[in-house]
Every structure is written in C-alpha cells, then in structure tokens.
Amino acid sequence: MSSGSVNTERHPVEFIHSTSEAGSTLLPSSSRWNSIELDYFTFFPPSLSTYNSLPSRFSKSIRFNLFITDKKLFKRFLYISTLLIFLIISLILLIHFLPLKNRHHPPSKKNLTLALKQALTFFDAQKSGMYPKNNRVKFRGDSGLEDGKFGGRESDEDVVGNNIKFSFPTAYTITLLSWSVIEYHQKYSEIGEVDHVKDIIKWGAHYLLKLFVGTAGNDTKTPNDMNCWERPEDMDYKRPVSYCDISKASDLAGEMVAALSAASLVFKQEEVVYSEKLVQTAEKLFELILESTTKKDDEYCSGIEARKFYNSSGYLDELVWASTWLFFATGNTSHLQYATQMFTSVTSNNNDDDHTTSDQGFFYWNNKLIASAVLLSRLQMFNDLGFPYEDAMSESTTMINSLMCSYVLAPNFNTTFTPGGLLVQRVEDGASLLELAATASFLSKLYSDYLQAIRRSGGRCSSSTTTTHHQSFSTQMLTNFSKSQVNYILGDNPMKMSYMVGFGGKYPTQVHHRSASIPWDGHRYTCEDGHKWLNSKDLNPNILVGAMVAGPDQTDEFLDQRDKPWFTQPTISSNAGLVAALIALHDPPLTSAHSSSPNLGLDILGLFENIKL
C-alpha cells in the first residue's frame, strides 16, 4: 500500500487511498475508518505507484470534495442508494419482460372446444315445434305447434325456427353452418359434435322446405310476436303466415337455394335420399328465379312485415351465392357460368341500382358477395376449370387478397379497430360489430388454410391500392387476426367479459331473450306478466348457454341490460358466424407423423365431389 500527505497549512486532515494488486479501489479498514476524518476521498484510483513499469489505466486521480460530518448518515446514504439502484434495475427488468395488456401482445389461450360446444347449444334453445325428448336446454319445450294454420292458406304442418320465422337470416344460418361442416367435418368429428351440428342444419333445412313465415303484425293491441313478451311455449295468439311473390323475392329465394344446396352436401354420404330432395327443391326454386322478371326495384318479400327487421339491401349477391352453391351441389357448369358472369357484372359495373357493391367487404346475412369470392377463389386454387371462368376467378382472388390485407394491414387500408382491438366495419341493417368480426375471423382463417394447403406462405394485395408499403400478407398474419377477433369475443377485451353466455367467469346476465328471461317454473305467464320480466333489472333466471350477444359499441362499451337489445340480443345468424370461426380455429385432428400434407383438418375435395372435369 502507499500513502501520502499534503500541505498541512491548507489541508490539515490526512487522507488515505489504497489499491490492491488487482487494481480495485478499497475502503480503509474499519479501525482506521474510526480514527480519521476525511476531507478528501479518492473514488477513482491514481496511477499505480507500485507498478511503475506499467502505464496507469487512469491519467490521474480524480478527487471530489465530500465533507462527511456523520459516518452513520453516510453509511445510511450508501445503503439507501444501493437499494434504490437495485429497485430501479428490477423495475426495468419487469417492464421489459412482463407482457403489456394490449391487443398487440399474444392473447390468452381459450378453450375452443368448450366454446364451440356451447355456441352450438344456443341453436337448441332456438328450436320451435315438437321439442326433442333428449333436449339439451332444460327451459325449453314444445312451441309454435299451430304455426301455419292462419293467414289465408291452410297447412297441417308445424314449422321450426326461432320465435318469429324470419326465413332470410334462417336460410343464411343454414348455409354458413353447412359450409363450416363441409370444410371442417374432420374437426367436428374429432370433438364429437358432427351429429349435433348436422341435427341443427337438418332442423333448419326442414323448415325451409315448408316455407312458412311468422308475422310481427302492425296492431299494437292484438298480441303478436313483437308486443307480447311471452315464452314460446305459452303463446296462444294467432300467428298468421305471410307469402312472397317469387318475382319480388329473388333475394330470399336465392338465399334459400344456397342453404338447400349447401345442406345437401352435408348429408350426401349418409342420407342420400334426403340430400337429393334438398337438391331437387333448390333446382326448382332457382328455375323460378330465372323465369321471373327481376327488376331493379326487386325487394325482399315486398309488402310483408319481415322487411322491417331483415330487409335485404340488394339481391344480386344472393343470385351469385345461390348459383355458386348450386354448382357445387349438382356439378352443372351452367350454374357456374351464371355465377361467374353475374359476379363479374356486379364487381365490374358497380351497379348503382343494387347496394351489394357498397358492402363488398362485409359477410353477414345481408351480403354474401365476398363469401362467394372466397368460394370462387377456392375453385381456382384446387380445381381450376379454365375458360370461360378464369377471369371471374382471378378477379375474386384479387378481391379476397385485398380483403385479407384490410384485416391485417389496417392503417393502410382504411380499416379501423376499437381501442380494445375489435374490427370495426360499417354497421347497418342490424349487423353488430361482433357479428361482422366473427365472419371476418372465419374467412381469414379459412383462406389461410387454403393457402397453406397449396403450400403458399401468403398473398399480395391488390395493385389498385394507394399504399406503397406492406403490400403482402402471410398466413400467420391471417391466423393471428382471426384469433384476435375470437379471443376478443371470448373475453380479451376492455370489459374483461365474454360476450358468449356461459363462457368464462363473466358474461352477460340480462340477455334480451324471452325464454331466458322468464322463469321455467311450471306456471304460464301472459303477455302482461312477461313485461315484468322484460323490464326487470334482475339476472335472467335461465342461462342461455352459448348465445353471443350483439356486443359492445365502437368504444368497447357494453351495457348488460335486457331492454337494450342493441347490446344484449343474440341471433342465430351471428352465432352461425361464431361457430364457423371457432371450428376454423380449432386444432385439427392428429395425423400420421409420416404424412407429407399440412395438418389443417380441411377437406379439400369434399366440396368438389359432384364436379366432373
């Protein structure tokens, strides 16, 4: 060790600094510490006098004026400083490694099997007619057994469906559920739900074969489906039937053709006779559409009450949708020719007389053009028929690629999301944000599977866009988007609430639903009794398991109030989209380790069984 002294006149207090052979600064020993008072303390070592042959790592000692009056306070200062430094480092590490709670981080993993089973159960709660003895929903029974016996035409058959028989969204529901089974029946079988979903499809298809429609009515005094809040099992008022002129209902007829055609493919293997009956009915109905004079003012069942609730904004998308599905059901290329010609006409001419083109990016009960484009793209990918269909199929692929880009490259494609990450599309005609998000989730995952099946990693956006960056998307981006929308619905949202009843620890408890809101206690409740339950602030006495409510607004706000159906009302059409999204995202069945094909759980050829090259 070395020591030194300074001019005692200016610096009467001795100071000491020491260096070890390793070159690290050492504090004096405790005994020496207690015997001196420091006026100067060297924090950085000076040149090493012991090793004069080696150059010092420091040009000179740096001395700081530090006057210590109390060694205990100085020690306390050192301890506190050390502790603060440790806490700051720990905080930085926590911030760096812990995930932030926003939509850009991986969401929590959901039990999609449970969610799917529950979502299907909702359809059991919507059945009308003779309720099955082995019913899954314990607060439902026989209902609507007199439907169809009033309104000017007589029939002895009961009808099935929801409380009001809205044929338009019912047909859409059957089409979408059938589509999901055709594509992913392997997944349905793996989780034991294939028979269940087929039963739901058959229940709806059987109703469509009967073609009875309930009525809302205009009389505010006479009990009807709108002014009477009553369990379906307790209804005793007349429910007359409304009828449509086919020349004024090509949109409704087109949706029914699509539903019957798609359902026929579901039952083609196991119930051949029933499948053929569905196809034959679809073909006859389509012939009537083509024979009728389709005018530009063609409306959904012009003049009947159903238009007040499910009014189609156009009919051209239903004609493309119907002919596309009828082609898959029959293999008749004349239907494909009609579909592709109509598709090109709609997308190229931007027909101002029809509102279909303004809704090209939406897929829900009121617009199916984008879904038809997905089907045509699928045909081009796996079974390209060439001339004269290639132009329409190429156009459909361009449209779908642009749609996929709008999902995953939102800032560049004028697509917006709520602060919590829910896709926001223009809402009109009763479609909720959740309904549109669910179908967007389905289409994006399905298209991702198509691309992976042909071993493509992604696609490119349309060259018509004005952006110059990020003009491509990957299949992983599509899958991530699809998951984000479903996970939002199931609880990863600012409200920390699952919007599907019965799923998770927190979900809507005042669902706008008659059967769920009125006790199932053996007593009959009249219309007057029912309004007490409608306006009650109590929780629903019956849990409507699997029902996806309308959901939040564009700011992620949600009010769980029964008398606000724009938040709390479920529908079969929106639940169909949720089921399709859930099965698309569900893990595929295990396959052989020696298989060279991607394990997607997708039936690539099932849709093409009737197509003969």
Side-chain angles (χ1 to χ4, degrees), residues 12-70:
V13 181
E14 182 184 21
F15 75 92
I16 297 175
H17 76 272
S18 304
T19 59
S20 69
E21 293 183 358
S24 60
T25 303
L26 301 178
L27 292 176
S29 66
S30 59
S31 59
R32 183 61 175 162
W33 180 276
N34 292 330
S35 63
I36 63 173
E37 183 178 12
L38 300 181
D39 184 33
Y40 294 94
F41 191 83
T42 305
F43 282 88
F44 295 106
S47 0
L48 300 178
S49 57
T50 306
Y51 304 105
N52 292 327
S53 61
L54 297 175
S56 172
R57 292 180 297 133
F58 307 92
S59 60
K60 63 180 179 179
S61 297
I62 301 176
R63 297 173 179 176
F64 295 85
N65 293 331
L66 178 63
F67 186 75
I68 301 175
T69 59
D70 189 322

Side-chain angles (χ1 to χ4, degrees), residues 515-566:
S515 294
S517 64
I518 301 176
W520 182 258
D521 54 8
H523 296 288
R524 182 185 182 279
Y525 294 98
T526 64
C527 293
E528 292 74 17
D529 296 330
H531 279 282
K532 176 183 67 175
W533 303 105
L534 172 62
N535 299 319
S536 172
K537 301 301 180 184
D538 295 335
L539 308 184
N540 282 357
N542 307 308
I543 300 177
L544 190 63
V545 173
M548 184 179 76
V549 297
D553 60 20
Q554 297 184 23
T555 65
D556 296 305
E557 292 296 320
F558 175 79
L559 297 179
D560 187 11
Q561 298 177 16
R562 192 177 301 109
D563 59 354
K564 291 181 172 55
W566 53 93

